[in-house]
Amino acid sequence: MDRFSKFHPFVCFSFFAGVITVTILFTNSFFTALSLFGAFLYSVKLQGRKAVVFFMKYIIPIVLFAAFFNMLFVRYGKHILFVVKGINFTQEGFLSGLLTGIMIGAVMLWFFCYNRVITSDKFMALFGGIAPNTALLFSMILRFLPLMAQTAEEIKTSNKGMGIAEKGLRDAVNRFSALISISLEKSIETADSMRARGFGKKKKRGFYSAFAFRFSDAAAAFFMITVVILIIAFSVSDYPYILLNPGIHIQNHNLAILALFGVFSVFPTAVDLTEEAKWLLLKSKI
């Protein structure tokens, strides 16, 4: 059971917005590694083996590709790894790309978790009252992409079942044409359904939300906002980062801000583990 996703949508969305923003802003620092670690833990908690496969198949190659690609074009740094035709390839260039790759991998993992936690109804509950048309459009786009991929797979399976599947460009074009036709038909059905429900009329529509803001949501929101404010306050004057030019140097050994962000990044996993521990304790008393 994922206890964190049971929080109010505002709490869940605020967490993802905060952790992704901090990860992007503090690239050349230890924040990216902590963020990647927290994202990996929570993704495994949400998806289990599927998350591990995603991490091994996509995240690790992206991190390594960024490290080696950056090393090919960056010329600063005094620690030379090897020389090819008079061109120096340095540790600093490799580390710079590695940090960028870790940042990209962490953001991808957090969005992997975001897609599992922030469902369309939660997104509508957050922004439906503020900007209903924009929220509905964005929600439909997010739903449209996986639905289109699912339909494409169904068409491919159907062709194989009927024995008409072929290899090559011609078969791909035929399946794509069928996919577009089905998508257009579904869009017409959606438009008719929305029109029947009164969407688009000028009079003000009512707004319903199934999510209530409870005391636990307020406590979680207060904790996260406090931690983010402290991180920003520490970062203005002093936060640890890695200086890569001309050499590798760690600046400002401030462990307090790292501890704060470490706690923040593992917050969803910690909430889930705490809930599971309570459940096991209650079961043991039966």
Side-chain angles (χ1 to χ4, degrees):
M1 182 182 68
D2 178 31
R3 175 63 183 86
F4 179 77
S5 62
K6 300 297 187 295
F7 279 121
H8 191 273
F10 172 78
V11 176
C12 299
F13 185 84
S14 298
F15 169 79
F16 287 114
V19 73
I20 290 173
T21 300
V22 173
T23 303
I24 294 174
L25 290 179
F26 301 99
T27 302
N28 285 0
S29 66
F30 299 99
F31 286 93
T32 51
L34 291 173
S35 180
L36 182 63
F37 176 72
F40 176 73
L41 288 181
Y42 189 47
S43 64
V44 172
K45 183 66 180 61
L46 287 175
Q47 294 290 316
R49 184 179 178 182
K50 185 178 179 180
V52 177
V53 172
F54 180 82
F55 183 82
M56 300 293 292
K57 188 176 180 180
Y58 296 103
I59 303 302
I60 291 182
I62 285 175
V63 172
L64 295 178
F65 174 79
F68 286 104
F69 184 82
N70 190 77
M71 184 177 62
L72 294 177
F73 296 96
V74 169
R75 294 292 170 263
Y76 60 75
K78 60 183 180 181
H79 298 92
I80 300 174
L81 293 174
F82 54 89
V83 180
V84 178
K85 295 184 178 180
I87 301 176
N88 297 332
F89 296 92
T90 63
Q91 293 181 11
E92 288 78 6
F94 179 83
L95 182 59
S96 175
L98 186 67
L99 291 172
T100 302
I102 292 174
M103 182 271 291
I104 296 173
V107 171
M108 287 182 62
L109 268 183
W110 283 125
F111 274 111
F112 177 85
C113 299
Y114 174 92
N115 290 331
R116 270 69 183 174
V117 175
I118 307 296
T119 55
S120 58
D121 56 333
K122 292 182 179 179
F123 189 85
M124 287 298 298
L126 276 174
F127 301 103
I130 303 173
N133 294 337
T134 304
L136 179 62
L137 179 62
F138 188 74
S139 179
M140 291 177 66
I141 291 173
L142 291 180
R143 174 59 181 152
F144 176 75
L145 295 177
L147 186 62
M148 198 170 184
Q150 180 182 349
T151 305
E153 188 63 28
E154 291 175 356
I155 294 172
K156 184 178 180 180
T157 304
S158 300
N159 288 348
K160 287 183 179 180
M162 292 186 296
I164 59 175
E166 301 176 357
K167 293 183 179 180
L169 181 61
R170 182 177 180 181
D171 182 66
V173 171
N174 290 335
R175 286 191 282 112
F176 181 74
S177 176
L179 176 63
I180 295 299
S181 300
I182 294 174
S183 300
L184 290 175
E185 183 178 352
K186 288 183 177 179
S187 66
I188 294 174
E189 292 176 355
T190 302
D192 291 339
S193 177
M194 292 171 64
R195 189 179 297 109
R197 288 172 170 83
F199 184 84
K201 293 185 177 180
K202 292 184 178 180
K203 66 178 183 179
K204 187 176 181 180
R205 302 191 309 272
F207 178 74
Y208 169 76
S209 175
F211 303 97
F213 199 81
R214 299 161 297 182
F215 176 78
S216 58
D217 299 316
F222 176 78
F223 168 77
M224 292 191 302
I225 292 173
T226 302
V227 171
V228 171
I229 290 176
L230 290 174
I231 290 174
I232 295 174
F234 276 120
S235 63
V236 169
S237 58
D238 182 22
Y239 74 93
Y241 64 95
I242 302 175
L243 186 65
L244 298 173
N245 189 21
I248 302 174
H249 301 286
I250 299 176
Q251 303 292 321
N252 302 327
H253 299 72
N254 188 345
L255 299 181
I257 187 173
L258 289 178
L260 281 173
F261 184 71
V263 171
F264 184 71
S265 61
V266 299
F267 176 70
T269 308
V271 169
D272 291 344
L273 293 179
T274 303
E275 192 71 16
E276 290 182 1
K278 289 181 180 178
W279 172 246
L280 292 175
L281 182 61
L282 291 174
K283 286 180 63 178
S284 65
K285 293 180 178 180
I286 298 177

